[in-house]
Amino acid sequence: MPDYTVTVTREGDLWAVIIDGLPEGVAGAIDYTRLDRVRDEVPEAIADLTDSSPEDFTVTWRWEREP
């Protein structure tokens, strides 16, 4: 089962999300204005990008502070 590492960083007014482990040539960068949407929407975004279902993979979350 694939595992995708999702790094979430606060950058100004946005939550920047970087998804590592996607297939070659697939970009995994998404910005959110609301933190409460990140956990719900990122697995769906990964599923869309990989043509799979959220049940087909795991997500490892990394939460970082603003640089």
Side-chain angles (χ1 to χ4, degrees):
M1 176 177 289
D3 179 70
Y4 300 99
T5 300
V6 175
T7 303
V8 182
T9 306
R10 181 71 174 176
E11 294 183 6
D13 292 339
L14 298 174
W15 293 96
V17 173
I18 304 295
I19 305 165
D20 290 321
L22 294 171
E24 187 174 332
V26 177
I30 308 167
D31 289 331
Y32 289 90
T33 55
R34 295 179 40 181
L35 180 61
D36 61 339
R37 297 177 66 186
V38 172
R39 280 211 186 257
D40 292 334
E41 294 182 12
V42 169
E44 289 295 331
I46 294 170
D48 289 344
L49 291 169
T50 59
D51 195 29
S52 64
S53 172
E55 294 81 29
D56 296 337
F57 56 83
T58 58
V59 176
T60 299
W61 296 92
R62 292 185 53 204
W63 300 89
E64 296 184 354
R65 295 180 182 254
E66 186 174 5

